[in-house]
Amino acid sequence: MHTYPTQAVILAGGQGSRLRPYTDDRPKPMVEIPGTGTPIIGHQLSWLAAEGVTDAVVSCGHLAEVLQEWLESAVLPLRVTTVVEKEPLGRGGGLKYAAQRLPDPDQPWYATNGDIWTRFSLREMAAFHGERDATATLALARPRIPWGAVETDAFGHITDFIESPPSPYLINAGVYVFSPAFTGMLPDQGDHERTTFPRLARERRLAGYPLPHGAYWRAIDTAKDLTEAARELGAQGGS
């Protein structure tokens, strides 16, 4: 019998410089996917609620007041608390600062980057995490390479052209499941991906959950990502 997390942290404090001019007057999670009328974070909150999350802590930074105003005025499917760092704490320190506001520190929790557009079963990921007795589990994606690829034979003849093939490598998809003890392992300041994660990997307490075949995933980093997300969403017939 698995215990599925009911609490989550959303990291929503990035500058979003590569999404300008969209982020000149709003933080990246407040950018709307064209055609949906809803900012990225609105879709994330709906997804988390559908997966059984009842409480979310949103870590704000760049133009925090814009995000806070939207959260206060929107009809939300779960309870939301916001935190703003008084001074830059780094990714790990910011995650720890936000996690300390979760309602139940003795229970597992999800986390997601605020610019991720995805849909898959968080409950299945949490079960995977529990089965491996992991302290932290990262969702892993295989994004498409943005260029066309060329295949050759051993003699150097070109045999095929492949448009935007999947990467041969898995990457951190920016969605996580953490056990309660993980919070105390985070640095007060600094980057947990250079400290906590490598330590857990050496101790075999860090797991990687490959996204299921066909699961939608995209990081919204550039204007091109917005356009392609809207096109892909249209092809799927909605969110």
Side-chain angles (χ1 to χ4, degrees), residues 94-173:
L95 185 60
K96 184 173 187 176
Y97 183 65
Q100 289 169 340
R101 295 292 301 275
L102 290 168
D104 198 337
D106 296 324
Q107 294 297 318
W109 48 290
Y110 298 117
T112 181
N113 296 342
D115 59 355
I116 299 300
W117 172 264
T118 188
R119 285 294 185 276
F120 65 92
S121 173
L122 284 173
R123 291 184 179 94
E124 291 183 7
M125 182 177 172
F128 178 97
H129 170 83
E131 288 163 359
R132 283 147 186 82
D133 195 26
T135 300
T137 297
L138 288 62
L140 303 177
R142 197 181 297 276
R144 290 194 170 275
I145 297 172
W147 307 283
V150 176
E151 286 191 346
T152 63
D153 62 19
F155 193 66
H157 292 120
I158 292 176
T159 59
D160 202 1
F161 295 90
I162 306 172
E163 187 63 31
S164 299
S167 167
Y169 298 103
L170 291 166
I171 67 163
N172 180 350

Side-chain angles (χ1 to χ4, degrees), residues 4-22:
Y4 301 113
T6 60
Q7 52 188 1
V9 168
I10 299 177
L11 297 173
Q15 291 279 340
S17 57
R18 289 194 292 167
L19 261 176
R20 288 176 177 160
Y22 296 100

Side-chain angles (χ1 to χ4, degrees), residues 1-238:
M1 181 90 179
H2 295 289
T3 299
Y4 301 113
T6 60
Q7 52 188 1
V9 168
I10 299 177
L11 297 173
Q15 291 279 340
S17 57
R18 289 194 292 167
L19 261 176
R20 288 176 177 160
Y22 296 100
T23 51
D24 284 343
D25 61 355
R26 70 196 66 190
K28 190 194 290 191
M30 280 300 299
V31 174
E32 294 182 5
I33 303 295
T36 71
T38 302
I40 298 168
I41 195 166
H43 295 286
Q44 288 185 322
L45 291 171
S46 295
W47 174 49
L48 290 171
E51 291 294 323
V53 174
T54 59
D55 294 88
V57 177
V58 179
S59 178
C60 308
H62 174 63
L63 296 173
E65 66 280 0
V66 177
L67 179 51
Q68 289 173 318
E69 288 173 8
W70 183 83
L71 290 169
E72 289 170 3
S73 63
V75 178
L76 303 176
L78 39 64
R79 290 182 291 272
V80 175
T81 303
T82 61
V83 297
V84 182
E85 298 172 23
K86 298 180 178 63
E87 58 183 31
L89 299 175
R91 290 191 296 178
L95 185 60
K96 184 173 187 176
Y97 183 65
Q100 289 169 340
R101 295 292 301 275
L102 290 168
D104 198 337
D106 296 324
Q107 294 297 318
W109 48 290
Y110 298 117
T112 181
N113 296 342
D115 59 355
I116 299 300
W117 172 264
T118 188
R119 285 294 185 276
F120 65 92
S121 173
L122 284 173
R123 291 184 179 94
E124 291 183 7
M125 182 177 172
F128 178 97
H129 170 83
E131 288 163 359
R132 283 147 186 82
D133 195 26
T135 300
T137 297
L138 288 62
L140 303 177
R142 197 181 297 276
R144 290 194 170 275
I145 297 172
W147 307 283
V150 176
E151 286 191 346
T152 63
D153 62 19
F155 193 66
H157 292 120
I158 292 176
T159 59
D160 202 1
F161 295 90
I162 306 172
E163 187 63 31
S164 299
S167 167
Y169 298 103
L170 291 166
I171 67 163
N172 180 350
V175 181
Y176 311 90
V177 183
F178 296 132
S179 296
F182 180 76
T183 306
M185 299 177 183
L186 287 164
D188 293 326
Q189 286 188 310
D191 188 349
H192 62 294
E193 295 194 10
R194 296 189 178 186
T195 55
T196 311
F197 280 173
R199 169 189 162 191
L200 291 174
R202 289 193 298 270
E203 297 171 354
R204 297 296 186 268
R205 292 193 288 161
L206 185 67
Y209 175 75
L211 294 188
H213 180 73
Y216 184 75
W217 179 88
R218 178 177 287 277
I220 306 297
D221 289 322
T222 65
K224 181 180 179 182
D225 291 323
L226 278 176
T227 301
E228 293 187 354
R231 175 178 55 78
E232 291 159 352
L233 187 64
Q236 292 175 5

